[in-house]
């Protein structure tokens, strides 16, 4: 299942993402973690030192390789140059699985050992000095969107994406790629303002959205969040000595995380699993095509010099049967 953590800057979404990833690893799930924030901190939150975190390969820099691999033998895609971030898979495309080896993981992912198991970590790559004035961060996040569009995930398989802060996630159709979006909100007016934006933008697309209240210090904070977000409030998280030690680079073993916080993480997993069980693969594919056609018309056709609507395979539906049967794999 595909899960996003969003929220305003400083809300604690990267910390909550890393705790959830550790929780999944402790439950023996297969996990691919993706740092898609312009501020790349997920690696450090998962225990990498500065040198290790800086050495993570950037997905944005590997975009040609990603496109070449995913294109496969799809006859509707004339060349890698005509692939854009929203290009959907079709007959002949290569699909990704969470628990497999492939050239994209070889180039872009690194194994991170946690207390209770290993996970794969991928990162879009930081916004570099050479990007200033000539590129936007969404050009890097496009690599993530392409991978999500071509990824078939099953039960006990998780892709957890730490998204860019604020409402920037709506700059593409990537916000529809998730079974569950956890919005991390502090009990303040600013903290819930991003929630209102997400709720409004996502309303017409069936996006499953739950709020995780963070930095909740008492009953007054809890009542504030309940009043502001209603039934969308799933759990709250308060002060954690474990997290404080982790932020100092000296975390205890994960099994020592406070019981209340472990229960909160389990509630997140339960909510994600419930949402995944209701996934409508046809709607999922339809939304992918919808945003591809919008991007093609607004800028893609002009940029590539091709009619990108022709890349849509009308008979193709991305689902688990594709990967099991190899239906979308090139011969």
């Amino acid at each position: 299942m595909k899960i996003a953590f969003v929220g305003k800057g400083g809300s604690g979404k990267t910390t909550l993402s890393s705790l959830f990833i550790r929780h999944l690893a402790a439950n023996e799930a297969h996990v691919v973690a993706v740092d898609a924030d312009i501020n790349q901190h997920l690696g450090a939150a998962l225990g990498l030192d500065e040198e290790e975190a800086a050495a993570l390969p950037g997905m944005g820099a590997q975009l040609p390789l990603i496109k070449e691999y995913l294109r496969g033998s799809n006859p509707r895609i004339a060349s890698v140059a005509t692939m854009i971030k929203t290009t959907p898979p079709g007959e002949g495309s290569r699909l990704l699985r969470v628990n497999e080896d492939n050239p994209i993981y070889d180039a872009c992912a690194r194994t991170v050992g946690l207390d209770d198991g290993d996970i794969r970590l991928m990162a879009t790559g930081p916004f570099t000095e050479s990007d200033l004035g000539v590129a936007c961060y969404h050009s890097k996040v496009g690599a993530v969107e392409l991978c999500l569009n071509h990824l078939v995930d099953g039960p006990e398989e998780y892709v957890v994406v730490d998204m860019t802060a604020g409402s920037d996630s709506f700059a593409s159709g990537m916000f529809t790629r998730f079974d569950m979006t956890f919005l991390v909100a502090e009990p303040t007016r600013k903290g819930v303002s991003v929630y209102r934006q997400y709720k409004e933008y996502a309303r017409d697309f069936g996006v499953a959205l739950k709020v995780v209240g963070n930095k909740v210090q008492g009953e007054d904070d809890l009542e504030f969040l309940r009043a502001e977000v209603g039934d969308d409030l799933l759990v709250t998280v308060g002060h954690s000595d474990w997290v404080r030690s982790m932020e100092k680079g000296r975390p205890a073993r994960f099994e020592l995380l406070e019981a209340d916080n472990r229960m909160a993480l389990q509630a997140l997993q339960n909510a994600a699993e419930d949402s995944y069980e209701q996934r409508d693969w046809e709607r999922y594919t339809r939304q992918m095509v919808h945003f591809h056609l919008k991007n093609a018309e607004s800028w893609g056709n002009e940029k590539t010099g091709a009619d990108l609507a022709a890349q849509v395979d009308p008979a193709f539906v991305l689902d688990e049967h594709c990967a099991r049967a190899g239906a979308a794999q090139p011969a």
Side-chain angles (χ1 to χ4, degrees):
M1 57 206 76
K2 303 182 179 92
I3 298 162
F5 280 81
V6 301
K8 79 173 187 66
S11 64
K13 67 182 180 63
T14 297
T15 298
L16 265 296
S17 300
S18 69
L19 291 178
F20 186 62
I21 291 163
R22 291 175 186 270
H23 168 80
L24 294 175
N27 286 348
E28 300 182 345
H30 300 291
V31 182
V32 172
V34 182
D35 191 344
D37 195 350
I38 191 170
N39 298 306
Q40 304 267 279
H41 296 314
L42 184 58
L46 290 170
L48 300 186
D49 62 30
E50 290 185 12
E51 184 176 346
E52 291 169 329
L56 288 171
M59 295 177 70
Q62 297 294 334
L63 194 53
L65 179 150
I66 291 171
K67 289 181 177 180
E68 185 62 51
Y69 181 76
L70 297 178
R71 176 190 173 211
S73 61
N74 187 335
R76 295 176 179 273
I77 303 175
S79 67
V80 167
T82 63
M83 287 186 76
I84 62 174
K85 64 182 181 179
T86 55
T87 295
E91 189 68 27
S93 298
R94 289 191 178 98
L95 301 180
L96 304 175
R97 294 301 303 245
V98 170
N99 189 30
E100 69 172 4
D101 295 319
N102 59 57
I104 293 178
Y105 290 158
D106 290 344
C108 301
R110 293 296 179 265
T111 299
V112 177
L114 303 176
D115 289 345
D116 301 294
D118 296 341
I119 60 102
R120 279 187 170 121
L121 174 60
M122 304 170 74
T124 57
F127 201 66
T128 64
E129 186 175 341
S130 62
D131 295 321
L132 296 176
V134 297
C136 71
Y137 193 65
H138 302 297
S139 64
K140 298 179 183 295
V141 177
V144 181
E145 187 168 358
L146 261 179
C147 288
L148 291 176
N149 281 350
H150 289 75
L151 190 142
V152 181
D153 51 315
E156 305 305 319
E157 296 179 336
Y158 293 81
V159 179
V160 180
V161 183
D162 182 16
M163 298 283 282
T164 191
S167 57
D168 284 353
S169 303
F170 289 94
S172 74
M174 194 163 75
F175 73 95
T176 66
R177 301 298 85 201
F178 301 103
D179 298 293
M180 178 59 71
T181 297
F182 292 124
L183 190 145
V184 181
E186 300 168 84
T188 64
R189 286 189 298 174
K190 288 183 178 180
V192 299
S193 64
V194 174
Y195 158 77
R196 293 198 183 95
Q197 287 181 305
Y198 258 81
K199 188 76 170 178
E200 180 180 351
Y201 293 159
R203 191 183 309 277
D204 295 332
F205 295 94
V207 173
L209 178 68
K210 289 295 181 182
V211 173
V212 181
N214 195 28
K215 306 177 186 177
V216 174
Q217 297 181 7
E219 190 65 26
D220 185 64
D221 286 348
L222 180 59
E223 288 303 319
F224 174 83
L225 286 173
R226 284 174 175 163
E228 294 294 328
V229 308
D231 291 341
D232 285 338
L233 181 63
L234 179 63
V235 292
T236 62
V237 179
H239 173 79
S240 169
D241 289 334
W242 192 96
V243 169
R244 181 61 60 88
S245 296
M246 180 267 287
E247 291 174 341
K248 293 176 180 177
R250 302 194 297 267
R253 287 193 59 81
F254 185 66
E255 63 190 24
L256 299 178
L257 180 70
E258 298 85 359
D260 287 350
N261 290 331
R262 291 186 70 94
M263 290 176 62
L265 295 174
Q266 186 60 54
L268 300 189
Q269 184 178 2
N270 293 343
E273 290 177 348
D274 289 345
S275 185
Y276 173 78
E277 289 176 0
Q278 300 173 43
R279 182 191 290 180
D280 182 339
W281 288 94
E282 290 189 2
R283 186 183 72 175
Y284 187 83
T285 305
R286 215 167 38 242
Q287 288 178 335
M288 187 190 314
V289 169
H290 168 77
F291 283 103
H292 177 64
L293 295 178
K294 284 188 67 175
N295 278 267
E297 183 177 350
S298 78
W299 62 270
N301 290 343
E302 181 178 356
K303 180 177 180 179
T304 63
D307 177 13
L308 300 186
Q311 294 179 344
V312 176
D313 184 342
F316 181 81
V317 175
L318 182 72
D319 60 23
E320 289 187 84
H321 301 291
C322 292
R324 284 202 298 267
Q329 302 295 325

